[in-house]
Amino acid sequence: MSLSISTISEQLVEWGRWLLFASIVLFAIWMFAAVVMRRVDYIRLGVPTVFARYKRQSKSKNSFAGQVFGHRKLLNDVRSGIMHLVYFYGFIVLQLGAADLIWKGLNGGKPLQVPYYDWFTWTQEVTVALVLAAVLYGAFRRYGERLPRLKRGWKPSLVMWFIGTLMFTILFSLAFERLSSSGNGSSLAASNYAPISSVLAKLIHTAGVQPGSLAAHAGFEWFWWLHLLVLLSFLVYVPQSKHFHLLIAPVNLWFRRSTPPGRLAPLNLEDEEAEYFGAGKVEHFTQKQLVDLYACVECGRCTNVCPASSTGKLLSPMHLIVKLRDHLTEKGAAITSKSPWLPAGLWERESKEPHAHMMGAVIPAWETAAEGGTMIEPTMNAQAEAWNKRKGVKPEEVELIGEVITEEELWACTTCRNCEEVCPVGNEHVDKIIDMRRYLVLMEGKLPSDGQRALQNIERQSNPWGLPRAERAAWIADCESRTGIRVETMQELKQQGRKADILLWAGSMGAYDMRSRRVLYDVVRLLSYAGVSFATLGLEEKSSGDTARRVGNELLFQELCRENINTLTKYGVTHIVTACPHTFNTFKNEYPDFGLDGGIRIEHHTELLARLLDEGLLIPVYEIAERVTVHDSCYLGRYNDTYEAPRNLLRAIPGVTIEEMERSRSNGMCCGAGGGLMWMEEHSGTRVNHARTVQALEVKPTVISSACPYCLTMMEDGLKALSADEKVIARDVAELLAESIFGD
């Protein structure tokens, strides 16, 4: 009878154990699912998106597999990349170990039927050790090295405590299991397959816990339940923190843009039912743009490379995403009446005083001593200080532009996309900034006065300076007087019944700016020398509209775009060459949305010249003994992946040696002129072009080479400001090539 009662008691205990286990697990899974679905509901507040699936290319460095499983971008910082690889694959490996441990606790110590179980045990313990090492190294980077891009405080540290605690509970559970399953201590001998838990069990035994004792069993029970609770708590915590990226980042990378990065989404300005243009509220963003917000890992890589952040402006790409995420979460919760936080949301009262995050008035404390240098600490500190909760404020009443993202931040962006280049989760920052600029300009008529003046000049005279439209073709006569080459216009050729192979697009800089004209003239000389048939539009050429579009005036851009397309169509143009990367990008990636024939070949002048060089039509003969460093144009490089053409031209010139800057190619720093900022003044920190010039001077060049008229202007201004223009000059690669071919 006593045996029967004992058996029944054991069964009741076992059933109770299973019931408690099931209740806790199901409750945690419910909270996890509820938190995820509530954030999905917030994302659904955005404009419906056609999620065009990313076209995977298995051999591409930007492939989905390479990003997710290879950590390609994370490995740009090798130490950080390896640390995250350990986290990533460590958690994958440890999932089976967690299942095995839980199964043992529920089934009297019986392990899962895993082949080669001893080796399975070994891999688990080694992986635990590696993950613990990664946690310690992560803490060192954050609090020892104190990397400026990393946040500090209890929230950024919480995940390290979670992971560290999980690893320790695994090891102590395994150690106490060895003790509880051994009646005579024979299994406490060091094991090759349990190198850590066997040593730990021996230490616990030395401390007084006897093998097979009640204390050994209690120790296993304690750490087994603790491991389960920490694991489930982590599960519930993940979607309520920045670590939601573990789930969202792969989704974000899978559905990222399949179009070129240089293409902005067009607005349908003829939609009579449209209530707004651009993004004036967080729900005006597309659902894909809102997915970005929850994918952010707050690693700070974007802010670390941002030319605005590193020169004392308020803009920080990381904080831009984080603030939008916080605002979406708070506003989404208010609209859907579903708390984003569990389990706290289970007992929150309806009458609880509303609160919402808002930006306060703050200016980065930029140090005068840093003039010409770069540092992100002032911007990081300013953002942390300004972004706070305000009691009594309803989230749905907070203004997106002004109270979440300030106008100062929006107008500090150079649209260089370096933030997107380094982002490991595929976030797209620039499009959001442009959408908010569009709302400001098109809906509220707000724009810095110097930017407004530039747009008015473009609208009236088709150039940012407001110089007479009738003078746009004056460069043709000037070119003839200086080079002896008469550049014909497409109109003249058409009247003669002839047609040129290439349309040479001068651009506003080439047509009006005297310094840029010299580059254009050398391009003309080189094309003529190579026997290329080309002509220009002369007075019929207008602004490409790049400045108008990046500033946010989509209406003006589309007007210029259609006028230019009509002109190109009228002459049956099939090949366009331009010396301006901004025009190159706009024609190549954006004009096709408005009717430009996709079969028209668009080339930057460096691409054409490099091709003519390969074909033997251009042969550099004169030696140029210069130490050249290359400044990569953002719109040529990051936007269109053209890095080699300018360098190939320089390599072909006898006597030229190339010295690369620390930040070059895809990580090259912007000159500060993109996004319409060529025509606006900087009012805080140091000038971006000064900082970039300092970087160039660090390699002790005699020439700073560029392939963009904007960059050339900014580099020359930087050299003058730093009193280095007597020793170092800025030149376009075409100028250097022409000097080597013509000897002057």
mmCIF file with all atom_site columns, all heavy atoms in Angstrom, residues 114-132:
data_model
loop_
_atom_site.group_PDB
_atom_site.id
_atom_site.type_symbol
_atom_site.label_atom_id
_atom_site.label_alt_id
_atom_site.label_comp_id
_atom_site.label_asym_id
_atom_site.label_entity_id
_atom_site.label_seq_id
_atom_site.pdbx_PDB_ins_code
_atom_site.Cartn_x
_atom_site.Cartn_y
_atom_site.Cartn_z
_atom_site.occupancy
_atom_site.B_iso_or_equiv
_atom_site.pdbx_formal_charge
_atom_site.auth_seq_id
_atom_site.auth_comp_id
_atom_site.auth_asym_id
_atom_site.auth_atom_id
_atom_site.pdbx_PDB_model_num
ATOM 1   N N   . VAL A 1 114 ? 20.567 11.648 -29.459 1.00 0.00 ? 114 VAL A N   1
ATOM 2   C CA  . VAL A 1 114 ? 21.373 12.365 -30.439 1.00 0.00 ? 114 VAL A CA  1
ATOM 3   C C   . VAL A 1 114 ? 22.566 11.497 -30.823 1.00 0.00 ? 114 VAL A C   1
ATOM 4   O O   . VAL A 1 114 ? 23.259 10.981 -29.937 1.00 0.00 ? 114 VAL A O   1
ATOM 5   C CB  . VAL A 1 114 ? 21.884 13.704 -29.869 1.00 0.00 ? 114 VAL A CB  1
ATOM 6   C CG1 . VAL A 1 114 ? 22.762 14.422 -30.877 1.00 0.00 ? 114 VAL A CG1 1
ATOM 7   C CG2 . VAL A 1 114 ? 20.709 14.588 -29.463 1.00 0.00 ? 114 VAL A CG2 1
ATOM 8   N N   . PRO A 1 115 ? 22.803 11.298 -32.124 1.00 0.00 ? 115 PRO A N   1
ATOM 9   C CA  . PRO A 1 115 ? 23.975 10.497 -32.535 1.00 0.00 ? 115 PRO A CA  1
ATOM 10  C C   . PRO A 1 115 ? 25.270 11.109 -32.001 1.00 0.00 ? 115 PRO A C   1
ATOM 11  O O   . PRO A 1 115 ? 25.398 12.331 -31.922 1.00 0.00 ? 115 PRO A O   1
ATOM 12  C CB  . PRO A 1 115 ? 23.918 10.553 -34.067 1.00 0.00 ? 115 PRO A CB  1
ATOM 13  C CG  . PRO A 1 115 ? 22.494 10.886 -34.386 1.00 0.00 ? 115 PRO A CG  1
ATOM 14  C CD  . PRO A 1 115 ? 22.014 11.758 -33.273 1.00 0.00 ? 115 PRO A CD  1
ATOM 15  N N   . TYR A 1 116 ? 26.220 10.239 -31.642 1.00 0.00 ? 116 TYR A N   1
ATOM 16  C CA  . TYR A 1 116 ? 27.512 10.692 -31.126 1.00 0.00 ? 116 TYR A CA  1
ATOM 17  C C   . TYR A 1 116 ? 27.304 11.677 -29.963 1.00 0.00 ? 116 TYR A C   1
ATOM 18  O O   . TYR A 1 116 ? 27.802 12.807 -29.959 1.00 0.00 ? 116 TYR A O   1
ATOM 19  C CB  . TYR A 1 116 ? 28.334 11.355 -32.227 1.00 0.00 ? 116 TYR A CB  1
ATOM 20  C CG  . TYR A 1 116 ? 28.564 10.469 -33.425 1.00 0.00 ? 116 TYR A CG  1
ATOM 21  C CD1 . TYR A 1 116 ? 27.826 10.646 -34.593 1.00 0.00 ? 116 TYR A CD1 1
ATOM 22  C CD2 . TYR A 1 116 ? 29.502 9.428  -33.387 1.00 0.00 ? 116 TYR A CD2 1
ATOM 23  C CE1 . TYR A 1 116 ? 28.018 9.821  -35.692 1.00 0.00 ? 116 TYR A CE1 1
ATOM 24  C CE2 . TYR A 1 116 ? 29.703 8.605  -34.485 1.00 0.00 ? 116 TYR A CE2 1
ATOM 25  C CZ  . TYR A 1 116 ? 28.955 8.800  -35.631 1.00 0.00 ? 116 TYR A CZ  1
ATOM 26  O OH  . TYR A 1 116 ? 29.146 7.988  -36.719 1.00 0.00 ? 116 TYR A OH  1
ATOM 27  N N   . TYR A 1 117 ? 26.561 11.242 -28.977 1.00 0.00 ? 117 TYR A N   1
ATOM 28  C CA  . TYR A 1 117 ? 26.146 12.125 -27.886 1.00 0.00 ? 117 TYR A CA  1
ATOM 29  C C   . TYR A 1 117 ? 27.344 12.733 -27.147 1.00 0.00 ? 117 TYR A C   1
ATOM 30  O O   . TYR A 1 117 ? 27.297 13.886 -26.720 1.00 0.00 ? 117 TYR A O   1
ATOM 31  C CB  . TYR A 1 117 ? 25.243 11.368 -26.903 1.00 0.00 ? 117 TYR A CB  1
ATOM 32  C CG  . TYR A 1 117 ? 24.635 12.268 -25.864 1.00 0.00 ? 117 TYR A CG  1
ATOM 33  C CD1 . TYR A 1 117 ? 23.514 13.039 -26.164 1.00 0.00 ? 117 TYR A CD1 1
ATOM 34  C CD2 . TYR A 1 117 ? 25.205 12.386 -24.591 1.00 0.00 ? 117 TYR A CD2 1
ATOM 35  C CE1 . TYR A 1 117 ? 22.952 13.892 -25.218 1.00 0.00 ? 117 TYR A CE1 1
ATOM 36  C CE2 . TYR A 1 117 ? 24.660 13.236 -23.641 1.00 0.00 ? 117 TYR A CE2 1
ATOM 37  C CZ  . TYR A 1 117 ? 23.532 13.985 -23.964 1.00 0.00 ? 117 TYR A CZ  1
ATOM 38  O OH  . TYR A 1 117 ? 22.990 14.839 -23.032 1.00 0.00 ? 117 TYR A OH  1
ATOM 39  N N   . ASP A 1 118 ? 28.404 11.949 -27.000 1.00 0.00 ? 118 ASP A N   1
ATOM 40  C CA  . ASP A 1 118 ? 29.580 12.479 -26.306 1.00 0.00 ? 118 ASP A CA  1
ATOM 41  C C   . ASP A 1 118 ? 30.157 13.699 -27.029 1.00 0.00 ? 118 ASP A C   1
ATOM 42  O O   . ASP A 1 118 ? 30.498 14.711 -26.407 1.00 0.00 ? 118 ASP A O   1
ATOM 43  C CB  . ASP A 1 118 ? 30.653 11.397 -26.188 1.00 0.00 ? 118 ASP A CB  1
ATOM 44  C CG  . ASP A 1 118 ? 30.296 10.359 -25.137 1.00 0.00 ? 118 ASP A CG  1
ATOM 45  O OD1 . ASP A 1 118 ? 29.429 10.657 -24.287 1.00 0.00 ? 118 ASP A OD1 1
ATOM 46  O OD2 . ASP A 1 118 ? 30.866 9.249  -25.172 1.00 0.00 ? 118 ASP A OD2 1
ATOM 47  N N   . TRP A 1 119 ? 30.258 13.570 -28.353 1.00 0.00 ? 119 TRP A N   1
ATOM 48  C CA  . TRP A 1 119 ? 30.763 14.699 -29.123 1.00 0.00 ? 119 TRP A CA  1
ATOM 49  C C   . TRP A 1 119 ? 29.765 15.869 -29.127 1.00 0.00 ? 119 TRP A C   1
ATOM 50  O O   . TRP A 1 119 ? 30.164 17.036 -29.129 1.00 0.00 ? 119 TRP A O   1
ATOM 51  C CB  . TRP A 1 119 ? 31.068 14.280 -30.562 1.00 0.00 ? 119 TRP A CB  1
ATOM 52  C CG  . TRP A 1 119 ? 32.354 13.520 -30.671 1.00 0.00 ? 119 TRP A CG  1
ATOM 53  C CD1 . TRP A 1 119 ? 32.508 12.194 -30.893 1.00 0.00 ? 119 TRP A CD1 1
ATOM 54  C CD2 . TRP A 1 119 ? 33.665 14.065 -30.525 1.00 0.00 ? 119 TRP A CD2 1
ATOM 55  N NE1 . TRP A 1 119 ? 33.839 11.848 -30.910 1.00 0.00 ? 119 TRP A NE1 1
ATOM 56  C CE2 . TRP A 1 119 ? 34.585 12.988 -30.678 1.00 0.00 ? 119 TRP A CE2 1
ATOM 57  C CE3 . TRP A 1 119 ? 34.175 15.340 -30.270 1.00 0.00 ? 119 TRP A CE3 1
ATOM 58  C CZ2 . TRP A 1 119 ? 35.954 13.146 -30.598 1.00 0.00 ? 119 TRP A CZ2 1
ATOM 59  C CZ3 . TRP A 1 119 ? 35.548 15.510 -30.193 1.00 0.00 ? 119 TRP A CZ3 1
ATOM 60  C CH2 . TRP A 1 119 ? 36.417 14.426 -30.353 1.00 0.00 ? 119 TRP A CH2 1
ATOM 61  N N   . PHE A 1 120 ? 28.496 15.538 -29.101 1.00 0.00 ? 120 PHE A N   1
ATOM 62  C CA  . PHE A 1 120 ? 27.461 16.568 -28.987 1.00 0.00 ? 120 PHE A CA  1
ATOM 63  C C   . PHE A 1 120 ? 27.654 17.351 -27.692 1.00 0.00 ? 120 PHE A C   1
ATOM 64  O O   . PHE A 1 120 ? 27.589 18.589 -27.677 1.00 0.00 ? 120 PHE A O   1
ATOM 65  C CB  . PHE A 1 120 ? 26.082 15.909 -29.030 1.00 0.00 ? 120 PHE A CB  1
ATOM 66  C CG  . PHE A 1 120 ? 24.950 16.819 -28.634 1.00 0.00 ? 120 PHE A CG  1
ATOM 67  C CD1 . PHE A 1 120 ? 24.492 17.797 -29.493 1.00 0.00 ? 120 PHE A CD1 1
ATOM 68  C CD2 . PHE A 1 120 ? 24.348 16.698 -27.382 1.00 0.00 ? 120 PHE A CD2 1
ATOM 69  C CE1 . PHE A 1 120 ? 23.445 18.636 -29.125 1.00 0.00 ? 120 PHE A CE1 1
ATOM 70  C CE2 . PHE A 1 120 ? 23.312 17.530 -27.007 1.00 0.00 ? 120 PHE A CE2 1
ATOM 71  C CZ  . PHE A 1 120 ? 22.857 18.504 -27.879 1.00 0.00 ? 120 PHE A CZ  1
ATOM 72  N N   . THR A 1 121 ? 27.922 16.639 -26.602 1.00 0.00 ? 121 THR A N   1
ATOM 73  C CA  . THR A 1 121 ? 28.165 17.287 -25.313 1.00 0.00 ? 121 THR A CA  1
ATOM 74  C C   . THR A 1 121 ? 29.394 18.194 -25.385 1.00 0.00 ? 121 THR A C   1
ATOM 75  O O   . THR A 1 121 ? 29.394 19.323 -24.874 1.00 0.00 ? 121 THR A O   1
ATOM 76  C CB  . THR A 1 121 ? 28.371 16.222 -24.221 1.00 0.00 ? 121 THR A CB  1
ATOM 77  O OG1 . THR A 1 121 ? 27.219 15.386 -24.152 1.00 0.00 ? 121 THR A OG1 1
ATOM 78  C CG2 . THR A 1 121 ? 28.617 16.872 -22.865 1.00 0.00 ? 121 THR A CG2 1
ATOM 79  N N   . TRP A 1 122 ? 30.429 17.708 -26.032 1.00 0.00 ? 122 TRP A N   1
ATOM 80  C CA  . TRP A 1 122 ? 31.661 18.495 -26.159 1.00 0.00 ? 122 TRP A CA  1
ATOM 81  C C   . TRP A 1 122 ? 31.410 19.803 -26.916 1.00 0.00 ? 122 TRP A C   1
ATOM 82  O O   . TRP A 1 122 ? 31.861 20.872 -26.499 1.00 0.00 ? 122 TRP A O   1
ATOM 83  C CB  . TRP A 1 122 ? 32.724 17.667 -26.876 1.00 0.00 ? 122 TRP A CB  1
ATOM 84  C CG  . TRP A 1 122 ? 34.044 18.366 -27.018 1.00 0.00 ? 122 TRP A CG  1
ATOM 85  C CD1 . TRP A 1 122 ? 35.053 18.420 -26.117 1.00 0.00 ? 122 TRP A CD1 1
ATOM 86  C CD2 . TRP A 1 122 ? 34.473 19.135 -28.156 1.00 0.00 ? 122 TRP A CD2 1
ATOM 87  N NE1 . TRP A 1 122 ? 36.098 19.172 -26.595 1.00 0.00 ? 122 TRP A NE1 1
ATOM 88  C CE2 . TRP A 1 122 ? 35.779 19.627 -27.858 1.00 0.00 ? 122 TRP A CE2 1
ATOM 89  C CE3 . TRP A 1 122 ? 33.904 19.447 -29.381 1.00 0.00 ? 122 TRP A CE3 1
ATOM 90  C CZ2 . TRP A 1 122 ? 36.493 20.410 -28.741 1.00 0.00 ? 122 TRP A CZ2 1
ATOM 91  C CZ3 . TRP A 1 122 ? 34.619 20.251 -30.266 1.00 0.00 ? 122 TRP A CZ3 1
ATOM 92  C CH2 . TRP A 1 122 ? 35.894 20.717 -29.947 1.00 0.00 ? 122 TRP A CH2 1
ATOM 93  N N   . THR A 1 123 ? 30.683 19.720 -28.034 1.00 0.00 ? 123 THR A N   1
ATOM 94  C CA  . THR A 1 123 ? 30.411 20.933 -28.825 1.00 0.00 ? 123 THR A CA  1
ATOM 95  C C   . THR A 1 123 ? 29.594 21.934 -28.018 1.00 0.00 ? 123 THR A C   1
ATOM 96  O O   . THR A 1 123 ? 29.806 23.149 -28.135 1.00 0.00 ? 123 THR A O   1
ATOM 97  C CB  . THR A 1 123 ? 29.656 20.599 -30.123 1.00 0.00 ? 123 THR A CB  1
ATOM 98  O OG1 . THR A 1 123 ? 28.407 19.966 -29.810 1.00 0.00 ? 123 THR A OG1 1
ATOM 99  C CG2 . THR A 1 123 ? 30.467 19.684 -31.011 1.00 0.00 ? 123 THR A CG2 1
ATOM 100 N N   . GLN A 1 124 ? 28.673 21.433 -27.194 1.00 0.00 ? 124 GLN A N   1
ATOM 101 C CA  . GLN A 1 124 ? 27.855 22.329 -26.386 1.00 0.00 ? 124 GLN A CA  1
ATOM 102 C C   . GLN A 1 124 ? 28.722 23.097 -25.388 1.00 0.00 ? 124 GLN A C   1
ATOM 103 O O   . GLN A 1 124 ? 28.596 24.317 -25.240 1.00 0.00 ? 124 GLN A O   1
ATOM 104 C CB  . GLN A 1 124 ? 26.777 21.537 -25.645 1.00 0.00 ? 124 GLN A CB  1
ATOM 105 C CG  . GLN A 1 124 ? 25.717 20.922 -26.542 1.00 0.00 ? 124 GLN A CG  1
ATOM 106 C CD  . GLN A 1 124 ? 24.930 21.977 -27.292 1.00 0.00 ? 124 GLN A CD  1
ATOM 107 O OE1 . GLN A 1 124 ? 24.399 22.914 -26.706 1.00 0.00 ? 124 GLN A OE1 1
ATOM 108 N NE2 . GLN A 1 124 ? 24.864 21.829 -28.611 1.00 0.00 ? 124 GLN A NE2 1
ATOM 109 N N   . GLU A 1 125 ? 29.604 22.403 -24.703 1.00 0.00 ? 125 GLU A N   1
ATOM 110 C CA  . GLU A 1 125 ? 30.407 23.059 -23.682 1.00 0.00 ? 125 GLU A CA  1
ATOM 111 C C   . GLU A 1 125 ? 31.421 24.025 -24.286 1.00 0.00 ? 125 GLU A C   1
ATOM 112 O O   . GLU A 1 125 ? 31.645 25.120 -23.757 1.00 0.00 ? 125 GLU A O   1
ATOM 113 C CB  . GLU A 1 125 ? 31.100 22.007 -22.816 1.00 0.00 ? 125 GLU A CB  1
ATOM 114 C CG  . GLU A 1 125 ? 30.113 21.162 -22.011 1.00 0.00 ? 125 GLU A CG  1
ATOM 115 C CD  . GLU A 1 125 ? 30.707 20.613 -20.731 1.00 0.00 ? 125 GLU A CD  1
ATOM 116 O OE1 . GLU A 1 125 ? 31.856 20.966 -20.404 1.00 0.00 ? 125 GLU A OE1 1
ATOM 117 O OE2 . GLU A 1 125 ? 30.006 19.836 -20.053 1.00 0.00 ? 125 GLU A OE2 1
ATOM 118 N N   . VAL A 1 126 ? 32.017 23.635 -25.391 1.00 0.00 ? 126 VAL A N   1
ATOM 119 C CA  . VAL A 1 126 ? 32.964 24.539 -26.051 1.00 0.00 ? 126 VAL A CA  1
ATOM 120 C C   . VAL A 1 126 ? 32.238 25.784 -26.557 1.00 0.00 ? 126 VAL A C   1
ATOM 121 O O   . VAL A 1 126 ? 32.735 26.911 -26.440 1.00 0.00 ? 126 VAL A O   1
ATOM 122 C CB  . VAL A 1 126 ? 33.683 23.817 -27.209 1.00 0.00 ? 126 VAL A CB  1
ATOM 123 C CG1 . VAL A 1 126 ? 34.480 24.802 -28.054 1.00 0.00 ? 126 VAL A CG1 1
ATOM 124 C CG2 . VAL A 1 126 ? 34.602 22.728 -26.668 1.00 0.00 ? 126 VAL A CG2 1
ATOM 125 N N   . THR A 1 127 ? 31.042 25.586 -27.102 1.00 0.00 ? 127 THR A N   1
ATOM 126 C CA  . THR A 1 127 ? 30.257 26.722 -27.592 1.00 0.00 ? 127 THR A CA  1
ATOM 127 C C   . THR A 1 127 ? 29.885 27.656 -26.458 1.00 0.00 ? 127 THR A C   1
ATOM 128 O O   . THR A 1 127 ? 29.945 28.888 -26.601 1.00 0.00 ? 127 THR A O   1
ATOM 129 C CB  . THR A 1 127 ? 28.985 26.229 -28.307 1.00 0.00 ? 127 THR A CB  1
ATOM 130 O OG1 . THR A 1 127 ? 29.349 25.377 -29.386 1.00 0.00 ? 127 THR A OG1 1
ATOM 131 C CG2 . THR A 1 127 ? 28.181 27.404 -28.837 1.00 0.00 ? 127 THR A CG2 1
ATOM 132 N N   . VAL A 1 128 ? 29.494 27.103 -25.314 1.00 0.00 ? 128 VAL A N   1
ATOM 133 C CA  . VAL A 1 128 ? 29.174 27.923 -24.148 1.00 0.00 ? 128 VAL A CA  1
ATOM 134 C C   . VAL A 1 128 ? 30.377 28.777 -23.762 1.00 0.00 ? 128 VAL A C   1
ATOM 135 O O   . VAL A 1 128 ? 30.258 29.977 -23.471 1.00 0.00 ? 128 VAL A O   1
ATOM 136 C CB  . VAL A 1 128 ? 28.731 27.035 -22.968 1.00 0.00 ? 128 VAL A CB  1
ATOM 137 C CG1 . VAL A 1 128 ? 28.744 27.841 -21.663 1.00 0.00 ? 128 VAL A CG1 1
ATOM 138 C CG2 . VAL A 1 128 ? 27.347 26.476 -23.211 1.00 0.00 ? 128 VAL A CG2 1
ATOM 139 N N   . ALA A 1 129 ? 31.556 28.169 -23.764 1.00 0.00 ? 129 ALA A N   1
ATOM 140 C CA  . ALA A 1 129 ? 32.768 28.909 -23.411 1.00 0.00 ? 129 ALA A CA  1
ATOM 141 C C   . ALA A 1 129 ? 33.035 30.039 -24.396 1.00 0.00 ? 129 ALA A C   1
ATOM 142 O O   . ALA A 1 129 ? 33.401 31.161 -24.003 1.00 0.00 ? 129 ALA A O   1
ATOM 143 C CB  . ALA A 1 129 ? 33.953 27.947 -23.367 1.00 0.00 ? 129 ALA A CB  1
ATOM 144 N N   . LEU A 1 130 ? 32.849 29.767 -25.688 1.00 0.00 ? 130 LEU A N   1
ATOM 145 C CA  . LEU A 1 130 ? 33.078 30.793 -26.706 1.00 0.00 ? 130 LEU A CA  1
ATOM 146 C C   . LEU A 1 130 ? 32.083 31.940 -26.562 1.00 0.00 ? 130 LEU A C   1
ATOM 147 O O   . LEU A 1 130 ? 32.453 33.118 -26.690 1.00 0.00 ? 130 LEU A O   1
ATOM 148 C CB  . LEU A 1 130 ? 32.972 30.172 -28.103 1.00 0.00 ? 130 LEU A CB  1
ATOM 149 C CG  . LEU A 1 130 ? 34.121 29.235 -28.509 1.00 0.00 ? 130 LEU A CG  1
ATOM 150 C CD1 . LEU A 1 130 ? 33.795 28.553 -29.840 1.00 0.00 ? 130 LEU A CD1 1
ATOM 151 C CD2 . LEU A 1 130 ? 35.431 30.001 -28.617 1.00 0.00 ? 130 LEU A CD2 1
ATOM 152 N N   . VAL A 1 131 ? 30.821 31.608 -26.303 1.00 0.00 ? 131 VAL A N   1
ATOM 153 C CA  . VAL A 1 131 ? 29.808 32.655 -26.141 1.00 0.00 ? 131 VAL A CA  1
ATOM 154 C C   . VAL A 1 131 ? 30.104 33.500 -24.908 1.00 0.00 ? 131 VAL A C   1
ATOM 155 O O   . VAL A 1 131 ? 29.966 34.728 -24.932 1.00 0.00 ? 131 VAL A O   1
ATOM 156 C CB  . VAL A 1 131 ? 28.401 32.033 -26.063 1.00 0.00 ? 131 VAL A CB  1
ATOM 157 C CG1 . VAL A 1 131 ? 27.364 33.094 -25.690 1.00 0.00 ? 131 VAL A CG1 1
ATOM 158 C CG2 . VAL A 1 131 ? 28.021 31.390 -27.390 1.00 0.00 ? 131 VAL A CG2 1
ATOM 159 N N   . LEU A 1 132 ? 30.520 32.865 -23.822 1.00 0.00 ? 132 LEU A N   1
ATOM 160 C CA  . LEU A 1 132 ? 30.895 33.622 -22.626 1.00 0.00 ? 132 LEU A CA  1
ATOM 161 C C   . LEU A 1 132 ? 32.059 34.562 -22.921 1.00 0.00 ? 132 LEU A C   1
ATOM 162 O O   . LEU A 1 132 ? 32.079 35.716 -22.470 1.00 0.00 ? 132 LEU A O   1
ATOM 163 C CB  . LEU A 1 132 ? 31.263 32.664 -21.494 1.00 0.00 ? 132 LEU A CB  1
ATOM 164 C CG  . LEU A 1 132 ? 30.111 32.158 -20.619 1.00 0.00 ? 132 LEU A CG  1
ATOM 165 C CD1 . LEU A 1 132 ? 30.612 31.124 -19.631 1.00 0.00 ? 132 LEU A CD1 1
ATOM 166 C CD2 . LEU A 1 132 ? 29.440 33.322 -19.884 1.00 0.00 ? 132 LEU A CD2 1
#
